Amino acid sequence: MVESVIGIRGKDFVLLAQDANTTKYGILNMKFDTNRLFKLSEHCAMLAAGEPGDVVQFAEYVGKNIQLYKMINGIELSPYACANFTRHEMATSLRSRNSFLANLVVGGYSTNERDQNRAQLYSIDYLGAMVSANVVAHGFCQFFALGIGDRLWKEDLTVDEALFMLQTIVNELGKRMAAYPHCVFVRIIDAQGIRVLDNMYPEKIHVAKPSEGELQTSADMMDIHS
């Protein structure tokens, strides 16, 4: 739950972001450069958060099978098809002895001109439930990301507006969470493919120095000495 993965769908792009921390026991930061993004095709990628072994094993299994389908049939699956295949595999594993504890965000840009929405974004949880939305998130960040996304998202969202929304979410994580992400990796997927953008960091919190008059004990505040 400490790990944060976020997806934002714009007019003709998808923005994917993830915290780079690997946190153990909820209080110890083990790494600061963890990559949670797995490439599914030239225009589709998946963010995965959960148990480290399950995340890597499931994400690589899905990615390799999607690549195998392209090699056999010569067709690149759309983000919608990738998400449905991923959801099916998650649901199948749930009904076996080898279930995976991983929450996923699948996003991409469809190269099929007949698709009404070229930019596609999906959220898949460890129970195999899938939903398409404009803003999706997994982890503790969802308590802030979904509310901020509901307030700031709009039709014809531009890249700059999506980056502003993401920075607002990252700032809230830095303010509200004890184990906040020190660095957030950002990628964008559009007609040009998957590209890496500049990292984001939570803004620093400045607290004013208390005055001498504010340095009172509880007894002083209750005036029990008078």
Side-chain angles (χ1 to χ4, degrees), residues 162-178:
L163 291 173
F164 173 79
M165 181 194 304
L166 181 59
Q167 185 65 64
T168 303
I169 296 171
V170 173
N171 292 342
E172 285 299 314
L173 292 177
K175 292 178 182 178
R176 308 297 179 183
M177 289 183 60

Side-chain angles (χ1 to χ4, degrees), residues 206-211 214:
H206 299 280
V207 181
K209 179 181 178 181
S211 63
E214 295 174 337

Side-chain angles (χ1 to χ4, degrees), residues 4-25:
S4 298
V5 291
I6 304 169
I8 301 174
R9 184 181 68 85
K11 178 182 178 182
D12 52 4
F13 68 92
V14 168
L15 208 63
L16 299 179
Q18 49 117 140
D19 72 281
N21 295 9
T22 293
T23 305
K24 193 69 173 177
Y25 309 117

Side-chain angles (χ1 to χ4, degrees), residues 19 46 48-49 51 58 84 108 126 130 137 155 173 188 207 221:
D19 72 281
M46 176 173 64
E51 288 294 329
F58 181 77
N84 275 275
Y126 70 100
M130 185 180 79
E155 294 288 345
L173 292 177
I188 187 172
V207 181
M221 298 176 65

Side-chain angles (χ1 to χ4, degrees), residues 29-205:
N29 286 319
M30 310 299 292
K31 290 181 63 180
F32 299 95
D33 58 352
T34 304
N35 182 19
R36 309 187 198 284
L37 184 132
F38 297 87
K39 182 179 178 181
L40 302 181
S41 67
E42 295 300 323
H43 295 84
C44 183
M46 176 173 64
L47 291 176
E51 288 294 329
D54 290 354
V55 165
V56 174
Q57 184 177 359
F58 181 77
E60 289 187 349
Y61 169 79
V62 170
K64 299 303 181 183
N65 275 274
I66 291 176
Q67 291 295 323
L68 178 62
Y69 181 90
K70 180 181 178 180
M71 293 172 61
I72 294 175
N73 299 280
I75 300 174
E76 180 178 289
L77 291 178
S78 67
Y80 175 74
C82 292
N84 275 275
F85 174 76
T86 304
R87 190 215 68 81
H88 177 268
E89 294 301 319
M90 180 65 75
T92 301
S93 69
L94 186 66
R95 292 159 176 82
S96 67
R97 295 186 178 182
N98 299 315
S99 60
F100 297 96
L101 184 57
N103 295 312
L104 314 170
V105 174
V106 178
Y109 183 87
S110 176
T111 57
N112 189 348
E113 297 180 356
R114 293 178 294 179
D115 283 344
Q116 185 176 3
N117 294 322
R118 305 292 291 275
Q120 302 173 2
L121 181 65
Y122 303 91
S123 173
I124 305 172
D125 66 8
Y126 70 100
L127 296 175
M130 185 180 79
V131 62
S132 174
N134 300 318
V135 179
V136 299
H138 288 295
F140 283 132
C141 70
Q142 63 184 318
F143 298 117
F144 311 103
L146 300 182
I148 295 173
D150 183 67
R151 177 166 55 90
L152 297 181
W153 191 91
K154 62 179 182 179
E155 294 288 345
D156 299 333
L157 187 74
T158 65
V159 176
D160 291 338
E161 291 171 338
L163 291 173
F164 173 79
M165 181 194 304
L166 181 59
Q167 185 65 64
T168 303
I169 296 171
V170 173
N171 292 342
E172 285 299 314
L173 292 177
K175 292 178 182 178
R176 308 297 179 183
M177 289 183 60
Y180 64 90
H182 294 79
C183 175
V184 174
F185 293 158
V186 184
R187 285 90 163 188
I188 187 172
I189 307 176
D190 53 16
Q192 303 177 25
I194 305 173
R195 293 178 287 126
V196 178
L197 302 184
D198 293 337
N199 297 339
M200 285 191 176
Y201 304 90
E203 65 180 7
K204 295 183 179 179
I205 301 175

